[in-house]
Amino acid sequence: MMSSTRRKLAMAQRALDFAHANPSTDSGYVAVVARLEIAVARGDVLAEQETGGRVGEHSAVKQRRMLRASMQVDLKHLVKVGESAARTHRELAGKFLLPRAGAPHKAFITAANVLLSLAQANKDVLIALGLGDQFLDDLSAAITSFDGATDEAHSGRWDHVGAKSELATIVAECSDCVGLLDGLVMRLFPAGSDAVGAWQSARNVAGPFRHAKEVPAPPIAA
């Protein structure tokens, strides 16, 4: 989430806290506070969705990268065994092709599935030449995990991109409500009162400020 959006949502929450601590029976005040409550609640949901989606996408992308690196090693072994099998089984010549290392994920996993199907159809021959008893089961599981990680990455991206888009609308609604409350607070509460001071601090986007105590200047030497 952008820092500016985070600060504005925090400001909206402070403004709402102020309104709850300083209620008024004024109908306009009540109506604006109700709008702000809805906007803040929705903002909280979207902020969580945006963060969760971004973290989920990052985790899934990392997992997919690790799976692909491991599968690339396994596929090299499969291709070598397949090429060895093609020496005595001419029908397999040229069929075991290693996917390009830099190929897009979709092209890579499509090639992996093709190799898996070809290997399953010639399982006995390949295992006899050193493929490994569990190789095909392990490769199948890796492909399934890769597909799952891809789905999770897409889902996470949709979550955080969608939330980020709607957050812009919510932030605008919060800002509008706070602007309206600003005029109402100045009208309903006495100028210079503690309530007005608290409000001015709460509505500051950068957050409440704490001023350092003034330190008297040292005396000038005679």
Side-chain angles (χ1 to χ4, degrees), residues 23 46 59 73 85 97 102 123 139 156 171 183 188 190 198 209:
L46 291 171
S59 176
V73 173
L97 302 176
K123 178 179 178 179
L139 178 59
V171 166
L188 295 172
F209 291 103

Side-chain angles (χ1 to χ4, degrees), residues 3-220:
S3 59
S4 60
T5 297
R6 188 181 298 108
R7 289 196 301 270
K8 289 175 182 177
L9 289 175
M11 176 270 292
Q13 181 63 63
R14 292 194 302 272
L16 185 59
D17 291 342
F18 169 89
H20 288 161
N22 299 272
S24 172
T25 57
D26 182 90
S27 60
Y29 190 90
V30 171
V32 174
V33 171
R35 280 179 57 192
L36 185 58
E37 286 174 339
I38 294 172
V40 167
R42 182 57 181 161
D44 287 343
V45 171
L46 291 171
E48 183 176 344
Q49 178 182 324
E50 195 273 344
T51 300
R54 183 161 38 82
V55 170
E57 180 189 19
H58 178 76
S59 176
V61 167
K62 182 178 180 181
Q63 180 188 12
R64 185 174 60 184
R65 187 183 304 118
M66 293 173 62
L67 284 166
R68 177 163 175 166
S70 176
M71 288 170 61
Q72 187 74 14
V73 173
D74 289 342
L75 292 176
K76 285 181 180 180
H77 176 61
L78 173 56
V79 168
K80 287 181 180 179
V81 175
E83 290 173 345
S84 179
R87 296 190 186 100
T88 52
H89 296 73
R90 298 299 182 185
E91 71 278 9
L92 298 179
K95 291 188 177 181
F96 286 89
L97 302 176
L98 185 68
R100 184 168 53 87
H105 290 309
K106 187 172 181 61
F108 173 83
I109 204 64
T110 297
N113 273 305
V114 169
L115 283 171
L116 176 62
S117 295
L118 182 60
Q120 288 172 332
N122 297 274
K123 178 179 178 179
D124 294 340
V125 173
L126 297 176
I127 289 179
L129 290 173
L131 183 63
D133 294 338
Q134 295 298 316
F135 182 92
L136 295 179
D137 289 340
D138 291 344
L139 178 59
S140 178
I143 290 174
T144 299
S145 295
F146 186 95
D147 288 337
T150 297
D151 290 343
E152 289 177 12
H154 291 167
S155 178
R157 180 164 182 78
W158 292 331
D159 281 349
H160 84 76
V161 169
K164 183 178 180 180
S165 177
E166 190 179 344
L167 270 171
T169 301
I170 292 299
V171 166
E173 170 71 356
C174 287
S175 297
D176 186 47
C177 289
V178 171
L180 293 171
L181 278 177
D182 189 49
L184 287 165
V185 168
M186 295 304 151
R187 185 176 66 83
L188 295 172
F189 297 92
S193 65
D194 289 345
V196 170
W199 167 253
Q200 290 175 337
S201 178
R203 74 177 302 277
N204 195 306
V205 174
F209 291 103
R210 290 186 175 88
H211 297 285
K213 293 182 179 179
E214 293 186 4
V215 178
I220 300 175

